[in-house]
Amino acid sequence: MDLRRAVGHRPLLQVGAGIIVVDGAGRVLLQRRSDNGGWDYAGGSMELGEEIEATARRELLEETGLTARQLELFGVFSGEDMHYIYPNGDEVYNVDVVYICRDYVGKLKAQKGEVDELRFFDADGLPENISPPSRKPLEQWRMAQVE
């Protein structure tokens, strides 16, 4: 937030991590975001000095109440597909390190103020309103499920 006060809404490079949680039935956990109403996997920005896997684990716990036991690197996503302008006007080019998690514990609990709803979806039944920066990773995950 200190940086945003200095640069305003100008584009920034944002490094973050996300976790695509998959349950025993092969369904993906998505959350409906409070800021744009889109569906997204758990994730967020890396904090200074934080390791990227720690970012993924922290964001999963904060946003969903789940603790990841094991993570598998799914991919690193960047480029024009990862450009996003938040509803408040902040503009970013995301570098998103995305993990798959099939081994987790905890009880689902949506983070107030950020997450309106948590729900599992089948790969062939993903909602249409996917948050823009998550479209490419989720489409790649979906395609891998049908192969």
Side-chain angles (χ1 to χ4, degrees):
M1 297 312 290
D2 291 338
L3 184 56
R4 277 291 173 203
R5 278 192 281 283
V7 301
H9 297 302
R10 286 183 288 186
L12 293 175
L13 186 63
Q14 179 172 269
V15 178
I19 298 184
I20 296 175
V21 173
V22 181
D23 72 3
R27 301 175 306 163
V28 63
L29 176 64
L30 296 179
Q31 57 191 29
R32 194 164 43 83
R33 297 174 57 106
S34 299
D35 62 352
N36 68 7
W39 290 92
D40 204 349
Y41 46 80
S45 297
M46 177 185 246
E47 294 179 359
L48 292 175
E50 188 175 38
E51 293 183 4
I52 195 70
E53 188 174 303
T55 301
R57 291 176 183 279
R58 174 181 52 76
E59 291 287 344
L60 179 67
L61 181 60
E62 288 174 0
E63 295 176 357
T64 70
L66 300 179
T67 299
R69 287 185 171 161
Q70 271 194 281
L71 296 177
E72 171 190 335
L73 181 62
F74 179 63
V76 179
F77 298 86
S78 60
E80 287 295 327
D81 291 337
M82 302 303 286
H83 174 253
Y84 184 64
I85 300 174
Y86 286 92
N88 69 0
D90 290 351
E91 187 172 358
V92 295
Y93 284 85
N94 290 299
V95 177
D96 197 10
V97 179
V98 180
Y99 295 90
I100 301 287
C101 179
R102 292 180 178 87
D103 185 6
Y104 54 89
V105 294
K107 187 172 182 172
L108 285 178
K109 182 179 179 190
Q111 182 181 21
K112 289 185 195 264
E114 284 198 32
V115 179
D116 290 337
E117 180 182 358
L118 294 166
R119 190 185 322 166
F120 282 94
F121 292 89
D122 290 321
D124 60 356
L126 295 179
E128 290 192 22
N129 187 21
I130 299 291
S131 189
S134 298
R135 288 178 185 150
K136 185 176 181 178
L138 280 172
E139 179 60 17
Q140 285 191 15
W141 174 80
R142 190 188 70 74
M143 294 303 293
Q145 305 314 298
V146 257
E147 291 177 353

